[in-house]
PDB file of all heavy atoms in Angstrom:
ATOM      1  N   GLY A 150      78.688  67.170  97.972  1.00 97.00           N
ATOM      2  CA  GLY A 150      77.290  67.228  97.543  1.00 97.00           C
ATOM      3  C   GLY A 150      76.614  65.878  97.446  1.00 97.00           C
ATOM      4  O   GLY A 150      75.374  65.794  97.465  1.00 97.00           O
ATOM      5  N   LEU A 151      77.391  64.800  97.368  1.00 97.00           N
ATOM      6  CA  LEU A 151      76.803  63.458  97.311  1.00 97.00           C
ATOM      7  C   LEU A 151      76.091  63.091  98.602  1.00 97.00           C
ATOM      8  O   LEU A 151      75.331  62.120  98.648  1.00 97.00           O
ATOM      9  CB  LEU A 151      77.890  62.419  97.016  1.00 97.00           C
ATOM     10  CG  LEU A 151      78.657  62.568  95.705  1.00 97.00           C
ATOM     11  CD1 LEU A 151      79.667  61.449  95.551  1.00 97.00           C
ATOM     12  CD2 LEU A 151      77.711  62.612  94.513  1.00 97.00           C
ATOM     13  N   SER A 152      76.322  63.869  99.667  1.00 96.00           N
ATOM     14  CA  SER A 152      75.660  63.600 100.949  1.00 96.00           C
ATOM     15  C   SER A 152      74.225  64.101 100.978  1.00 96.00           C
ATOM     16  O   SER A 152      73.483  63.776 101.911  1.00 96.00           O
ATOM     17  CB  SER A 152      76.442  64.269 102.089  1.00 96.00           C
ATOM     18  OG  SER A 152      77.708  63.664 102.257  1.00 96.00           O
ATOM     19  N   TYR A 153      73.823  64.873  99.978  1.00 94.00           N
ATOM     20  CA  TYR A 153      72.489  65.489 100.001  1.00 94.00           C
ATOM     21  C   TYR A 153      71.560  64.768  99.033  1.00 94.00           C
ATOM     22  O   TYR A 153      71.914  64.506  97.881  1.00 94.00           O
ATOM     23  CB  TYR A 153      72.589  66.973  99.648  1.00 94.00           C
ATOM     24  CG  TYR A 153      73.409  67.739 100.659  1.00 94.00           C
ATOM     25  CD1 TYR A 153      74.770  67.964 100.449  1.00 94.00           C
ATOM     26  CD2 TYR A 153      72.845  68.189 101.847  1.00 94.00           C
ATOM     27  CE1 TYR A 153      75.538  68.636 101.382  1.00 94.00           C
ATOM     28  CE2 TYR A 153      73.613  68.858 102.790  1.00 94.00           C
ATOM     29  CZ  TYR A 153      74.950  69.079 102.549  1.00 94.00           C
ATOM     30  OH  TYR A 153      75.710  69.725 103.485  1.00 94.00           O
ATOM     31  N   ASP A 154      70.365  64.481  99.520  1.00 85.00           N
ATOM     32  CA  ASP A 154      69.398  63.730  98.718  1.00 85.00           C
ATOM     33  C   ASP A 154      68.673  64.598  97.706  1.00 85.00           C
ATOM     34  O   ASP A 154      68.063  64.086  96.775  1.00 85.00           O
ATOM     35  CB  ASP A 154      68.353  63.065  99.629  1.00 85.00           C
ATOM     36  CG  ASP A 154      68.983  62.022 100.544  1.00 85.00           C
ATOM     37  OD1 ASP A 154      69.970  61.389 100.112  1.00 85.00           O
ATOM     38  OD2 ASP A 154      68.510  61.864 101.684  1.00 85.00           O
ATOM     39  N   SER A 155      68.712  65.897  97.899  1.00 88.00           N
ATOM     40  CA  SER A 155      67.994  66.782  96.983  1.00 88.00           C
ATOM     41  C   SER A 155      68.782  68.068  96.788  1.00 88.00           C
ATOM     42  O   SER A 155      69.595  68.456  97.641  1.00 88.00           O
ATOM     43  CB  SER A 155      66.592  67.115  97.522  1.00 88.00           C
ATOM     44  OG  SER A 155      66.691  67.929  98.680  1.00 88.00           O
ATOM     45  N   VAL A 156      68.542  68.718  95.667  1.00 92.00           N
ATOM     46  CA  VAL A 156      69.205  69.993  95.381  1.00 92.00           C
ATOM     47  C   VAL A 156      68.729  71.055  96.362  1.00 92.00           C
ATOM     48  O   VAL A 156      69.478  71.969  96.705  1.00 92.00           O
ATOM     49  CB  VAL A 156      68.911  70.425  93.931  1.00 92.00           C
ATOM     50  CG1 VAL A 156      69.590  71.753  93.611  1.00 92.00           C
ATOM     51  CG2 VAL A 156      69.396  69.365  92.954  1.00 92.00           C
ATOM     52  N   GLY A 157      67.496  70.925  96.845  1.00 91.00           N
ATOM     53  CA  GLY A 157      66.973  71.921  97.778  1.00 91.00           C
ATOM     54  C   GLY A 157      67.813  72.024  99.039  1.00 91.00           C
ATOM     55  O   GLY A 157      68.074  73.122  99.539  1.00 91.00           O
ATOM     56  N   GLU A 158      68.264  70.860  99.559  1.00 89.00           N
ATOM     57  CA  GLU A 158      69.094  70.878 100.770  1.00 89.00           C
ATOM     58  C   GLU A 158      70.413  71.597 100.522  1.00 89.00           C
ATOM     59  O   GLU A 158      70.840  72.444 101.310  1.00 89.00           O
ATOM     60  CB  GLU A 158      69.377  69.445 101.224  1.00 89.00           C
ATOM     61  CG  GLU A 158      68.179  68.704 101.776  1.00 89.00           C
ATOM     62  CD  GLU A 158      68.574  67.313 102.249  1.00 89.00           C
ATOM     63  OE1 GLU A 158      69.358  67.210 103.213  1.00 89.00           O
ATOM     64  OE2 GLU A 158      68.125  66.325 101.646  1.00 89.00           O
ATOM     65  N   SER A 159      71.084  71.253  99.435  1.00 93.00           N
ATOM     66  CA  SER A 159      72.373  71.881  99.149  1.00 93.00           C
ATOM     67  C   SER A 159      72.197  73.349  98.758  1.00 93.00           C
ATOM     68  O   SER A 159      73.080  74.168  99.017  1.00 93.00           O
ATOM     69  CB  SER A 159      73.092  71.124  98.034  1.00 93.00           C
ATOM     70  OG  SER A 159      72.336  71.127  96.838  1.00 93.00           O
ATOM     71  N   ALA A 160      71.044  73.687  98.155  1.00 94.00           N
ATOM     72  CA  ALA A 160      70.803  75.077  97.775  1.00 94.00           C
ATOM     73  C   ALA A 160      70.677  75.973  99.004  1.00 94.00           C
ATOM     74  O   ALA A 160      71.176  77.107  99.010  1.00 94.00           O
ATOM     75  CB  ALA A 160      69.544  75.175  96.911  1.00 94.00           C
ATOM     76  N   ARG A 161      70.029  75.467 100.053  1.00 92.00           N
ATOM     77  CA  ARG A 161      69.913  76.263 101.277  1.00 92.00           C
ATOM     78  C   ARG A 161      71.284  76.527 101.894  1.00 92.00           C
ATOM     79  O   ARG A 161      71.571  77.630 102.367  1.00 92.00           O
ATOM     80  CB  ARG A 161      68.994  75.545 102.279  1.00 92.00           C
ATOM     81  CG  ARG A 161      67.517  75.600 101.918  1.00 92.00           C
ATOM     82  CD  ARG A 161      66.642  75.132 103.065  1.00 92.00           C
ATOM     83  NE  ARG A 161      66.788  73.704 103.316  1.00 92.00           N
ATOM     84  CZ  ARG A 161      66.069  72.763 102.707  1.00 92.00           C
ATOM     85  NH1 ARG A 161      65.165  73.108 101.807  1.00 92.00           N
ATOM     86  NH2 ARG A 161      66.242  71.485 102.998  1.00 92.00           N
ATOM     87  N   LEU A 162      72.126  75.520 101.865  1.00 92.00           N
ATOM     88  CA  LEU A 162      73.474  75.696 102.401  1.00 92.00           C
ATOM     89  C   LEU A 162      74.280  76.641 101.518  1.00 92.00           C
ATOM     90  O   LEU A 162      75.064  77.459 102.021  1.00 92.00           O
ATOM     91  CB  LEU A 162      74.166  74.337 102.505  1.00 92.00           C
ATOM     92  CG  LEU A 162      75.418  74.254 103.383  1.00 92.00           C
ATOM     93  CD1 LEU A 162      75.160  74.825 104.774  1.00 92.00           C
ATOM     94  CD2 LEU A 162      75.899  72.820 103.481  1.00 92.00           C
ATOM     95  N   THR A 163      74.065  76.563 100.217  1.00 94.00           N
ATOM     96  CA  THR A 163      74.754  77.469  99.299  1.00 94.00           C
ATOM     97  C   THR A 163      74.370  78.918  99.567  1.00 94.00           C
ATOM     98  O   THR A 163      75.215  79.821  99.518  1.00 94.00           O
ATOM     99  CB  THR A 163      74.435  77.098  97.843  1.00 94.00           C
ATOM    100  OG1 THR A 163      74.918  75.774  97.578  1.00 94.00           O
ATOM    101  CG2 THR A 163      75.081  78.064  96.861  1.00 94.00           C
ATOM    102  N   LEU A 164      73.110  79.154  99.865  1.00 95.00           N
ATOM    103  CA  LEU A 164      72.671  80.515 100.195  1.00 95.00           C
ATOM    104  C   LEU A 164      73.368  81.016 101.458  1.00 95.00           C
ATOM    105  O   LEU A 164      73.730  82.195 101.555  1.00 95.00           O
ATOM    106  CB  LEU A 164      71.148  80.551 100.370  1.00 95.00           C
ATOM    107  CG  LEU A 164      70.323  80.381  99.087  1.00 95.00           C
ATOM    108  CD1 LEU A 164      68.833  80.335  99.410  1.00 95.00           C
ATOM    109  CD2 LEU A 164      70.609  81.537  98.112  1.00 95.00           C
ATOM    110  N   LEU A 165      73.572  80.125 102.419  1.00 93.00           N
ATOM    111  CA  LEU A 165      74.326  80.502 103.620  1.00 93.00           C
ATOM    112  C   LEU A 165      75.765  80.858 103.261  1.00 93.00           C
ATOM    113  O   LEU A 165      76.328  81.830 103.772  1.00 93.00           O
ATOM    114  CB  LEU A 165      74.310  79.368 104.639  1.00 93.00           C
ATOM    115  CG  LEU A 165      73.020  79.159 105.424  1.00 93.00           C
ATOM    116  CD1 LEU A 165      73.096  77.860 106.217  1.00 93.00           C
ATOM    117  CD2 LEU A 165      72.762  80.332 106.372  1.00 93.00           C
ATOM    118  N   PHE A 166      76.367  80.065 102.383  1.00 94.00           N
ATOM    119  CA  PHE A 166      77.729  80.356 101.945  1.00 94.00           C
ATOM    120  C   PHE A 166      77.809  81.723 101.267  1.00 94.00           C
ATOM    121  O   PHE A 166      78.727  82.508 101.519  1.00 94.00           O
ATOM    122  CB  PHE A 166      78.214  79.285 100.954  1.00 94.00           C
ATOM    123  CG  PHE A 166      78.493  77.954 101.579  1.00 94.00           C
ATOM    124  CD1 PHE A 166      78.341  76.788 100.847  1.00 94.00           C
ATOM    125  CD2 PHE A 166      78.915  77.847 102.893  1.00 94.00           C
ATOM    126  CE1 PHE A 166      78.604  75.546 101.401  1.00 94.00           C
ATOM    127  CE2 PHE A 166      79.176  76.612 103.464  1.00 94.00           C
ATOM    128  CZ  PHE A 166      79.016  75.468 102.717  1.00 94.00           C
ATOM    129  N   ILE A 167      76.839  81.986 100.397  1.00 94.00           N
ATOM    130  CA  ILE A 167      76.852  83.257  99.664  1.00 94.00           C
ATOM    131  C   ILE A 167      76.661  84.425 100.619  1.00 94.00           C
ATOM    132  O   ILE A 167      77.346  85.456 100.523  1.00 94.00           O
ATOM    133  CB  ILE A 167      75.762  83.247  98.569  1.00 94.00           C
ATOM    134  CG1 ILE A 167      76.121  82.204  97.499  1.00 94.00           C
ATOM    135  CG2 ILE A 167      75.600  84.631  97.948  1.00 94.00           C
ATOM    136  CD1 ILE A 167      75.025  81.964  96.488  1.00 94.00           C
ATOM    137  N   GLY A 168      75.713  84.286 101.571  1.00 94.00           N
ATOM    138  CA  GLY A 168      75.503  85.345 102.549  1.00 94.00           C
ATOM    139  C   GLY A 168      76.732  85.582 103.417  1.00 94.00           C
ATOM    140  O   GLY A 168      77.131  86.721 103.663  1.00 94.00           O
ATOM    141  N   GLY A 169      77.352  84.489 103.882  1.00 94.00           N
ATOM    142  CA  GLY A 169      78.556  84.625 104.697  1.00 94.00           C
ATOM    143  C   GLY A 169      79.702  85.236 103.923  1.00 94.00           C
ATOM    144  O   GLY A 169      80.459  86.078 104.445  1.00 94.00           O
ATOM    145  N   SER A 170      79.834  84.871 102.655  1.00 95.00           N
ATOM    146  CA  SER A 170      80.887  85.431 101.817  1.00 95.00           C
ATOM    147  C   SER A 170      80.681  86.923 101.590  1.00 95.00           C
ATOM    148  O   SER A 170      81.648  87.703 101.603  1.00 95.00           O
ATOM    149  CB  SER A 170      80.934  84.703 100.474  1.00 95.00           C
ATOM    150  OG  SER A 170      81.252  83.343 100.652  1.00 95.00           O
ATOM    151  N   ALA A 171      79.438  87.313 101.384  1.00 95.00           N
ATOM    152  CA  ALA A 171      79.152  88.737 101.194  1.00 95.00           C
ATOM    153  C   ALA A 171      79.511  89.540 102.443  1.00 95.00           C
ATOM    154  O   ALA A 171      80.065  90.650 102.351  1.00 95.00           O
ATOM    155  CB  ALA A 171      77.670  88.927 100.841  1.00 95.00           C
ATOM    156  N   LEU A 172      79.225  88.980 103.606  1.00 95.00           N
ATOM    157  CA  LEU A 172      79.554  89.669 104.854  1.00 95.00           C
ATOM    158  C   LEU A 172      81.062  89.834 105.009  1.00 95.00           C
ATOM    159  O   LEU A 172      81.553  90.921 105.338  1.00 95.00           O
ATOM    160  CB  LEU A 172      78.978  88.877 106.035  1.00 95.00           C
ATOM    161  CG  LEU A 172      79.359  89.386 107.440  1.00 95.00           C
ATOM    162  CD1 LEU A 172      78.862  90.813 107.643  1.00 95.00           C
ATOM    163  CD2 LEU A 172      78.806  88.456 108.509  1.00 95.00           C
ATOM    164  N   VAL A 173      81.817  88.757 104.769  1.00 94.00           N
ATOM    165  CA  VAL A 173      83.273  88.836 104.904  1.00 94.00           C
ATOM    166  C   VAL A 173      83.853  89.817 103.885  1.00 94.00           C
ATOM    167  O   VAL A 173      84.770  90.586 104.192  1.00 94.00           O
ATOM    168  CB  VAL A 173      83.897  87.435 104.732  1.00 94.00           C
ATOM    169  CG1 VAL A 173      85.428  87.517 104.722  1.00 94.00           C
ATOM    170  CG2 VAL A 173      83.429  86.507 105.849  1.00 94.00           C
ATOM    171  N   TRP A 174      83.329  89.810 102.681  1.00 95.00           N
ATOM    172  CA  TRP A 174      83.805  90.733 101.638  1.00 95.00           C
ATOM    173  C   TRP A 174      83.587  92.180 102.056  1.00 95.00           C
ATOM    174  O   TRP A 174      84.491  93.021 101.950  1.00 95.00           O
ATOM    175  CB  TRP A 174      83.098  90.432 100.329  1.00 95.00           C
ATOM    176  CG  TRP A 174      83.378  91.425  99.233  1.00 95.00           C
ATOM    177  CD1 TRP A 174      84.588  91.680  98.648  1.00 95.00           C
ATOM    178  CD2 TRP A 174      82.431  92.295  98.611  1.00 95.00           C
ATOM    179  NE1 TRP A 174      84.457  92.662  97.695  1.00 95.00           N
ATOM    180  CE2 TRP A 174      83.136  93.045  97.652  1.00 95.00           C
ATOM    181  CE3 TRP A 174      81.069  92.493  98.768  1.00 95.00           C
ATOM    182  CZ2 TRP A 174      82.504  93.991  96.845  1.00 95.00           C
ATOM    183  CZ3 TRP A 174      80.433  93.435  97.966  1.00 95.00           C
ATOM    184  CH2 TRP A 174      81.157  94.182  97.028  1.00 95.00           C
ATOM    185  N   LEU A 175      82.397  92.489 102.545  1.00 95.00           N
ATOM    186  CA  LEU A 175      82.111  93.859 102.982  1.00 95.00           C
ATOM    187  C   LEU A 175      83.029  94.272 104.138  1.00 95.00           C
ATOM    188  O   LEU A 175      83.530  95.405 104.168  1.00 95.00           O
ATOM    189  CB  LEU A 175      80.641  93.982 103.394  1.00 95.00           C
ATOM    190  CG  LEU A 175      79.620  93.889 102.255  1.00 95.00           C
ATOM    191  CD1 LEU A 175      78.203  93.837 102.815  1.00 95.00           C
ATOM    192  CD2 LEU A 175      79.773  95.076 101.296  1.00 95.00           C
ATOM    193  N   LEU A 176      83.262  93.361 105.051  1.00 94.00           N
ATOM    194  CA  LEU A 176      84.164  93.666 106.169  1.00 94.00           C
ATOM    195  C   LEU A 176      85.585  93.908 105.675  1.00 94.00           C
ATOM    196  O   LEU A 176      86.302  94.778 106.182  1.00 94.00           O
ATOM    197  CB  LEU A 176      84.149  92.519 107.186  1.00 94.00           C
ATOM    198  CG  LEU A 176      82.862  92.338 107.992  1.00 94.00           C
ATOM    199  CD1 LEU A 176      82.896  91.018 108.759  1.00 94.00           C
ATOM    200  CD2 LEU A 176      82.660  93.500 108.956  1.00 94.00           C
ATOM    201  N   SER A 177      85.995  93.147 104.675  1.00 93.00           N
ATOM    202  CA  SER A 177      87.369  93.282 104.176  1.00 93.00           C
ATOM    203  C   SER A 177      87.612  94.637 103.520  1.00 93.00           C
ATOM    204  O   SER A 177      88.746  95.129 103.508  1.00 93.00           O
ATOM    205  CB  SER A 177      87.673  92.163 103.172  1.00 93.00           C
ATOM    206  OG  SER A 177      87.041  92.407 101.919  1.00 93.00           O
ATOM    207  N   LEU A 178      86.551  95.243 102.987  1.00 94.00           N
ATOM    208  CA  LEU A 178      86.703  96.541 102.321  1.00 94.00           C
ATOM    209  C   LEU A 178      87.032  97.658 103.301  1.00 94.00           C
ATOM    210  O   LEU A 178      87.489  98.733 102.898  1.00 94.00           O
ATOM    211  CB  LEU A 178      85.430  96.882 101.539  1.00 94.00           C
ATOM    212  CG  LEU A 178      85.070  95.925 100.397  1.00 94.00           C
ATOM    213  CD1 LEU A 178      83.790  96.367  99.707  1.00 94.00           C
ATOM    214  CD2 LEU A 178      86.214  95.824  99.388  1.00 94.00           C
ATOM    215  N   THR A 179      86.811  97.432 104.576  1.00 92.00           N
ATOM    216  CA  THR A 179      87.141  98.450 105.584  1.00 92.00           C
ATOM    217  C   THR A 179      88.628  98.472 105.905  1.00 92.00           C
ATOM    218  O   THR A 179      89.117  99.419 106.527  1.00 92.00           O
ATOM    219  CB  THR A 179      86.364  98.194 106.889  1.00 92.00           C
ATOM    220  OG1 THR A 179      86.798  96.947 107.467  1.00 92.00           O
ATOM    221  CG2 THR A 179      84.856  98.122 106.614  1.00 92.00           C
ATOM    222  N   LEU A 180      89.366  97.436 105.480  1.00 91.00           N
ATOM    223  CA  LEU A 180      90.796  97.371 105.766  1.00 91.00           C
ATOM    224  C   LEU A 180      91.586  98.137 104.715  1.00 91.00           C
ATOM    225  O   LEU A 180      91.230  98.131 103.526  1.00 91.00           O
ATOM    226  CB  LEU A 180      91.263  95.917 105.789  1.00 91.00           C
ATOM    227  CG  LEU A 180      90.631  95.015 106.851  1.00 91.00           C
ATOM    228  CD1 LEU A 180      91.107  93.585 106.662  1.00 91.00           C
ATOM    229  CD2 LEU A 180      90.973  95.512 108.247  1.00 91.00           C
ATOM    230  N   PRO A 181      92.672  98.802 105.105  1.00 91.00           N
ATOM    231  CA  PRO A 181      93.499  99.522 104.120  1.00 91.00           C
ATOM    232  C   PRO A 181      94.213  98.546 103.195  1.00 91.00           C
ATOM    233  O   PRO A 181      94.426  97.376 103.546  1.00 91.00           O
ATOM    234  CB  PRO A 181      94.496 100.286 104.997  1.00 91.00           C
ATOM    235  CG  PRO A 181      94.578  99.500 106.264  1.00 91.00           C
ATOM    236  CD  PRO A 181      93.206  98.930 106.478  1.00 91.00           C
ATOM    237  N   GLU A 182      94.582  99.049 102.030  1.00 89.00           N
ATOM    238  CA  GLU A 182      95.360  98.234 101.109  1.00 89.00           C
ATOM    239  C   GLU A 182      96.804  98.139 101.602  1.00 89.00           C
ATOM    240  O   GLU A 182      97.260  98.972 102.379  1.00 89.00           O
ATOM    241  CB  GLU A 182      95.315  98.819  99.699  1.00 89.00           C
ATOM    242  CG  GLU A 182      93.927  98.782  99.077  1.00 89.00           C
ATOM    243  CD  GLU A 182      93.946  99.170  97.611  1.00 89.00           C
ATOM    244  OE1 GLU A 182      94.959  99.777  97.168  1.00 89.00           O
ATOM    245  OE2 GLU A 182      92.977  98.862  96.895  1.00 89.00           O
ATOM    246  N   ARG A 183      97.487  97.099 101.140  1.00 83.00           N
ATOM    247  CA  ARG A 183      98.896  96.927 101.515  1.00 83.00           C
ATOM    248  C   ARG A 183      99.648  96.371 100.316  1.00 83.00           C
ATOM    249  O   ARG A 183      99.045  95.994  99.310  1.00 83.00           O
ATOM    250  CB  ARG A 183      99.017  95.977 102.713  1.00 83.00           C
ATOM    251  CG  ARG A 183      98.510  94.573 102.469  1.00 83.00           C
ATOM    252  CD  ARG A 183      98.552  93.732 103.729  1.00 83.00           C
ATOM    253  NE  ARG A 183      98.284  92.326 103.477  1.00 83.00           N
ATOM    254  CZ  ARG A 183      97.085  91.794 103.343  1.00 83.00           C
ATOM    255  NH1 ARG A 183      96.007  92.570 103.468  1.00 83.00           N
ATOM    256  NH2 ARG A 183      96.936  90.506 103.110  1.00 83.00           N
TER     257      ARG A 183
END
Side-chain angles (χ1 to χ4, degrees):
L151 300 181
S152 293
Y153 297 95
D154 296 328
S155 68
V156 180
E158 290 182 65
S159 60
R161 286 192 291 272
L162 196 52
T163 298
L164 289 176
L165 284 171
F166 288 151
I167 293 171
S170 297
L172 174 61
V173 174
W174 173 64
L175 291 172
L176 290 169
S177 75
L178 297 180
T179 65
L180 298 175
E182 294 189 343
R183 62 185 190 278

